[in-house]
């Protein structure tokens, strides 16, 4: 494309020069007409070159914006997954749910690692810091799982056996009999997971106030704002885009 535009520029200049020379040096109608024709052709070539440059610049701008939109979509999808993970853990309150959701959290961490290694992200210190803050927060939750899950998993096995017995006993009771406390309460394995001395990162991750004030949330909000700017998405006066709300 650059070679084509350069050739148009050279050709248009040469045509202009030839046309001007013929017009200035000739008193004969034919060379004068040829000169006018060359000037017209030179103008057409110049306009074509200018349009080609404008189209090329537009396409390059769109391609850059599209690439930033993909990065923005990636970080929003990662945050949506985190929202769902927290919801599932707080709803199920079991070690099995913890194990399953940590697997999903590992996928989110991989997405953030990919973003962290993106050349365009690396070129922006502010963006890099925001993505790194998200990564480090979730990495700490994952590393805590790796270090402390084994005894919780064993307790979960005991809890499940006790739960089976409690369910069987409840099934033999009258329909009007209320379920026992064991069936209605979180298991001992979950009590281990929500012990701040054992799993401080998980406890902070699940606590709404702590999570909203966390480095993850700050990093996400900064990264989203910066990526929206790069993608050409304008925010409203209230501080949020109607198309991409904060979660």
């Amino acid at each position: 494309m650059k070679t084509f535009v350069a050739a148009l520029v050279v050709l248009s200049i040469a045509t202009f020069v030839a046309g001007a020379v013929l017009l200035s040096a000739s008193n004969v109608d034919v060379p004068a007409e040829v000169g006018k024709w060359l000037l017209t052709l030179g103008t057409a070539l110049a306009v074509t070159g200018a349009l080609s440059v404008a189209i090329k610049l537009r396409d390059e701008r769109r391609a850059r914006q599209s690439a930033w939109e993909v990065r923005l979509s990636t970080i929003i999808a990662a945050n949506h997954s985190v929202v769902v993970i927290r919801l599932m853990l707080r709803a199920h309150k079991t070690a099995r749910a913890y194990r399953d959701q940590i697997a999903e959290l590992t996928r989110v961490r991989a997405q953030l690692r990919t973003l962290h290694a993106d050349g365009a992200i690396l070129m922006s210190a502010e963006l890099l810091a925001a993505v790194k803050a998200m990564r480090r927060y979730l990495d700490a939750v994952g590393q805590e799982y790796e270090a402390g899950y084994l005894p919780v998993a064993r307790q979960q096995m005991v809890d499940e056996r006790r739960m089976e017995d409690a369910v069987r006993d409840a099934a033999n009771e009258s329909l009007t009999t209320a379920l026992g406390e064991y069936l209605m309460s979180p298991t001992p394995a979950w009590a281990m997971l929500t012990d701040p001395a054992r799993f401080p990162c998980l406890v902070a991750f699940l606590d709404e106030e702590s999570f909203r004030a966390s480095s993850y949330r700050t990093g996400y909000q900064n990264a989203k704002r910066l990526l929206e700017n790069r993608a050409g998405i304008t925010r409203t006066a209230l501080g949020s885009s109607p198309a991409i709300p904060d979660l």
Side-chain angles (χ1 to χ4, degrees):
M1 184 66 180
K2 290 182 180 179
T3 303
F4 174 69
V5 172
L8 281 177
V9 172
V10 172
L11 186 56
S12 65
I13 293 174
T15 306
F16 267 119
V17 171
V21 169
L22 282 173
L23 280 175
S24 63
S26 176
N27 295 320
V28 183
D29 289 342
V30 173
E33 289 300 322
V34 172
K36 290 178 181 178
W37 178 81
L38 288 174
L39 286 175
T40 302
L41 178 60
T43 301
L45 291 173
V47 170
T48 301
L51 287 174
S52 298
V53 170
I55 291 171
K56 182 175 184 297
L57 292 174
R58 182 202 63 187
D59 291 344
E60 289 179 348
R61 184 177 66 254
R62 286 180 176 176
R64 287 193 299 270
Q65 285 187 343
S66 178
W68 286 112
E69 286 171 1
V70 170
R71 297 182 184 102
L72 175 61
S73 296
T74 299
I75 209 160
I76 290 174
N79 184 65
H80 284 179
S81 295
V82 170
V83 170
V84 172
I85 289 167
R86 295 181 69 246
L87 174 66
M88 296 296 288
L89 286 173
R90 294 168 70 178
H92 286 269
K93 293 182 172 64
T94 66
R96 185 181 296 275
Y98 176 54
R99 181 198 65 188
D100 294 343
Q101 295 307 312
I102 282 292
E104 182 64 16
L105 193 70
T106 301
R107 185 187 64 80
V108 174
R109 291 164 63 194
Q111 287 180 308
L112 294 178
R113 278 196 301 272
T114 300
L115 273 178
H116 191 264
D118 188 306
I121 300 292
L122 292 172
M123 293 294 290
S124 170
E126 196 174 1
L127 254 177
L128 184 63
V131 175
K132 184 181 291 186
M134 296 173 67
R135 264 194 67 189
R136 285 180 172 175
Y137 183 90
L138 297 184
D139 283 349
V141 177
Q143 290 161 4
E144 191 176 71
Y145 167 82
E146 182 181 357
Y149 180 65
L150 182 59
V152 177
R154 298 295 185 263
Q155 181 61 53
Q156 176 68 21
M157 294 172 66
V158 174
D159 293 345
E160 289 175 351
R161 179 62 62 87
R162 290 174 176 170
M163 187 66 69
E164 290 173 1
D165 294 340
V167 169
R168 184 173 54 252
D169 292 343
N172 293 326
E173 297 290 339
S174 169
L175 293 177
T176 58
T177 303
L179 294 176
E181 182 180 353
Y182 190 81
L183 288 175
M184 299 297 292
S185 303
T187 63
W190 182 253
M192 294 171 67
L193 289 172
T194 52
D195 180 357
R198 289 173 176 262
F199 293 90
C201 294
L202 177 62
V203 171
F205 180 65
L206 295 177
D207 180 74
E208 190 64 31
E209 184 176 349
S210 295
F211 183 71
R212 287 196 173 275
S214 68
S215 58
Y216 170 87
R217 283 295 299 173
T218 302
Y220 170 69
Q221 289 167 348
N222 288 339
K224 181 170 173 286
R225 171 180 54 81
L226 292 167
L227 289 171
E228 284 176 344
N229 290 340
R230 298 296 180 91
I233 298 173
T234 57
R235 300 176 70 85
T236 66
L238 294 178
S240 62
S241 168
I244 311 178
D246 285 323
L247 292 178

